[in-house]
Amino acid sequence: MSGANENNPNVGDVFDDTMISPKAEDTGAGLTVARKLKKGAPPRIPSATTVTRKIQNSNAEALGSSKAANPGPACKEKSQQDTYLKDEARVSALTAELKSTLEKACATAEELEESKKECKLLRDQVMVLQRDLNETQDFIFSQQRREKTITEADAGAEFHSLCLAVEDWVQTQLTEAFDSKSTKVTGPDPRVRKFLSLIPQPGNEAFEYPDTDEYNVIAAIMKYLYLEIFTKDFYCPIERGQMNFLNSIKRSMENLEPRRDLITLRTWRCETLTAVTQRPEFIQFRHKQSKTLSNDLANMLSLFLPRSDISGFTRLVQSTIIEPALQLAHKMHLSVHDFSLRYTTYHSTKSEERHPLRQEWSQFECVSLSPPGKVQRHPIADVIFTYLFDLSPELVFRAVKADSFAEPRVLKRGRILVAVTPEEHGPYAGPLSRLKESPTLLGFMAETNDAKSSSSW
């Protein structure tokens, strides 16, 4: 059997399936043979010696692997100890990390709580500041008039224009009457008495001075506007008893606690009167007042123009004199600040109580009697200014502070009539002897009506 195999090159040692153990089938040689059989290549049959050797090697390897996979008790204990130590270290690390995380979380929670408290505090402060801001805005807005008020410069300019308008009107309309002394007054006349009551003591004394009619009539018209418009508590009458009611409220406000300051009282008054002027009924009151004053003044002035159309004459007086005065008074009386007219200290004095103007004359606008109408400019040396009478009052302004008025300031100086004489001639004395007939129309009217009277102004 063996000899036959030896002669065959494809036959080595006898190959028997019984020679291959189940473990040998798992070896590399067995796998190689199996692959070759699958591919169809004729396998080379190894000899028995080769197969035996490979089987022994395979068993040795399997035994080594079995020992490695199944360590002894000492190795298992050491391995378990290493695993325990590793687990212990891992638990310690995780515990430390957890503790650090908790500490950070607590710190964050405390910061959050502090932030909430600070946020609440800031929110409360914002609310307080917002309330203060609203109150401040309300106060500021309360000081700001809704209606544009007249300024100092505008008031001075408008009053100056009014004075010039009166002077121009008298010079244009009445000069001829003064020159001709034409009048139908031959006996007592209520109009004459009423007109002469507007002329104060110095003006009455000037009846003896020629060429003073024009100036006395100008002064009388300005005095009429002063009494009937500018010195009124409010220039235009409203419902009966309403002004008394408003004034009683004002007096009650002055006694309130806590005390109201002056600017609050003045602002309330002006806002209240402004509201009154916005009522539809006020237009009727305003129109009636303008018509009443125009008729009254025109009726007195018609003494100098007896042949004039009284209706047209009244409209002329209204448009030229009364309306401009009412418009100016409207603005002045609705102002928080105080505008007032003031005559000189000589206005109601007698001749023996007056002295020649020396230094103080620069405080006024001095209009010269001769040459007529010339406004004297200072400085003038070696002359004497003799006061005759006031032509128009001065305009005085007082600004309202928190609880008081500021010092008064003159926006327009008072206008006075003066006689200018050289210093060596002394003060002006007028005519040396009394004439049989008055040199002025007003003097003649006064004598005719026996109405020479003095005024308290």
Side-chain angles (χ1 to χ4, degrees):
M1 181 83 179
S2 61
N5 289 339
E6 289 175 358
N7 293 330
N8 190 345
N10 293 326
V11 179
D13 296 331
V14 178
F15 181 80
D16 191 353
D17 292 339
T18 62
M19 297 176 64
I20 304 175
S21 67
K23 291 183 180 179
E25 291 178 358
D26 295 333
T27 62
L31 292 174
T32 301
V33 173
R35 291 192 191 99
K36 288 182 178 181
L37 287 175
K38 287 181 181 180
K39 292 181 179 179
R44 181 177 179 276
I45 299 173
S47 64
T49 304
T50 302
V51 172
T52 301
R53 187 182 299 113
K54 289 182 177 180
I55 289 173
Q56 291 175 347
N57 291 337
S58 297
N59 290 335
E61 292 176 0
L63 181 60
S65 298
S66 177
K67 290 182 178 180
N70 298 292
C75 292
K76 287 183 179 180
E77 184 178 355
K78 184 179 184 209
S79 176
Q80 291 175 355
Q81 187 176 4
D82 292 340
T83 302
Y84 174 78
L85 292 175
K86 290 180 181 179
D87 291 343
E88 189 72 20
R90 186 178 180 186
V91 168
S92 298
L94 291 174
T95 302
E97 184 178 354
L98 178 60
K99 183 179 180 182
S100 176
T101 303
L102 289 175
E103 290 176 350
K104 291 180 180 179
C106 291
T108 303
E110 291 178 357
E111 292 177 358
L112 179 60
E113 191 65 26
E114 290 296 327
S115 298
K116 288 182 178 179
K117 292 180 181 178
E118 185 177 358
C119 183
K120 184 179 182 303
L121 179 62
L122 292 174
R123 189 181 298 111
D124 293 340
Q125 291 178 353
V126 168
M127 292 178 64
V128 171
L129 291 174
Q130 185 65 46
R131 185 174 62 253
D132 292 343
L133 177 61
N134 293 336
E135 292 177 355
T136 303
Q137 288 175 339
D138 291 341
F139 175 76
I140 292 175
F141 292 149
S142 70
Q143 307 308 310
Q144 298 177 349
R145 300 292 308 284
R146 305 297 187 270
E147 183 179 339
K148 184 179 179 181
T149 58
I150 190 170
T151 63
E152 303 164 51
D154 290 342
E158 290 189 30
F159 183 66
H160 180 69
S161 297
L162 176 63
C163 295
L164 292 181
V166 171
E167 293 178 10
D168 291 343
W169 187 88
V170 171
Q171 292 169 359
T172 303
Q173 300 295 326
L174 306 182
T175 299
E176 184 177 348
F178 300 145
D179 293 339
S180 63
K181 295 185 176 59
S182 59
T183 177
K184 287 187 176 182
V185 176
T186 57
D189 189 323
R191 295 178 299 168
V192 175
R193 187 176 299 275
K194 185 175 183 178
F195 184 80
L196 293 178
S197 69
L198 298 173
I199 300 176
Q201 179 66 30
N204 275 276
E205 294 173 359
F207 290 167
E208 303 299 324
Y209 304 156
D211 302 322
T212 58
D213 281 329
E214 174 185 316
Y215 301 109
N216 252 323
V217 172
I218 292 173
I221 294 174
M222 293 303 301
K223 186 64 173 292
Y224 180 83
L225 300 178
Y226 171 84
L227 293 175
E228 298 297 331
I229 299 177
F230 291 106
T231 58
K232 298 292 185 181
D233 192 29
F234 189 56
Y235 77 100
C236 180
I238 49 181
E239 287 94 337
R240 183 184 299 274
Q242 191 173 76
M243 280 305 303
N244 291 334
F245 175 68
L246 295 179
N247 287 333
S248 68
I249 294 178
K250 179 176 177 291
R251 288 191 294 270
S252 297
M253 291 181 65
E254 292 173 350
N255 298 323
L256 287 177
E257 292 294 340
R259 182 178 174 277
R260 271 54 171 178
D261 56 18
L262 178 62
I263 194 169
T264 300
L265 298 175
R266 293 282 302 183
T267 300
W268 175 85
R269 177 185 181 276
C270 295
E271 291 292 344
T272 302
L273 291 177
T274 300
V276 169
T277 62
Q278 300 302 313
R279 298 176 61 196
E281 297 87 347
F282 181 77
I283 298 177
Q284 300 175 4
F285 297 136
R286 171 70 164 71
H287 177 74
K288 181 180 179 181
Q289 177 71 351
S290 178
K291 188 175 181 179
T292 299
L293 295 178
S294 300
N295 289 335
D296 189 30
L297 183 59
N299 188 45
M300 288 187 290
L301 295 176
S302 65
L303 288 168
F304 306 103
L305 294 174
R307 297 179 179 83
S308 63
D309 174 27
I310 190 62
S311 177
F313 186 71
T314 301
R315 288 194 299 269
L316 183 62
V317 170
Q318 183 176 17
S319 62
T320 307
I321 301 174
I322 298 299
E323 272 301 320
L326 291 175
Q327 292 172 9
L328 177 57
H330 179 93
K331 300 173 185 177
M332 289 167 54
H333 289 176
L334 293 184
S335 174
V336 174
H337 305 295
D338 179 63
F339 294 89
S340 61
L341 302 182
R342 186 170 64 189
Y343 281 96
T344 68
T345 56
Y346 300 102
H347 182 59
S348 58
T349 59
K350 297 180 180 180
S351 57
E352 58 269 20
E353 298 173 349
R354 299 188 295 269
H355 58 80
L357 304 177
R358 298 191 182 277
Q359 299 298 327
E360 63 269 35
W361 72 271
S362 59
Q363 302 172 11
F364 317 111
E365 288 185 11
C366 299
V367 179
S368 174
L369 177 63
S370 179
K374 181 180 180 181
V375 178
Q376 301 294 332
R377 307 291 181 184
H378 59 86
I380 300 178
D382 302 328
V383 296
I384 295 177
F385 287 80
T386 301
Y387 171 87
L388 298 182
F389 54 84
D390 283 25
L391 294 175
S392 60
E394 63 183 3
L395 176 61
V396 181
F397 171 77
R398 292 189 302 166
V400 177
K401 295 183 177 181
D403 201 23
S404 63
F405 286 106
E407 289 296 320
R409 292 194 300 110
V410 177
L411 302 182
K412 183 188 179 301
R413 291 182 297 174
R415 202 171 176 90
I416 62 175
L417 183 68
V418 297
V420 182
T421 56
E423 190 171 13
E424 60 269 16
H425 292 173
Y428 180 76
L432 297 178
S433 60
R434 181 176 177 82
L435 301 176
K436 293 182 179 180
E437 185 177 301
S438 175
T440 61
L441 178 58
L442 288 175
F444 171 75
M445 293 170 64
E447 290 175 353
T448 301
N449 283 265
D450 193 21
K452 277 192 176 183
S453 60
S454 61
S455 172
S456 60
W457 291 91

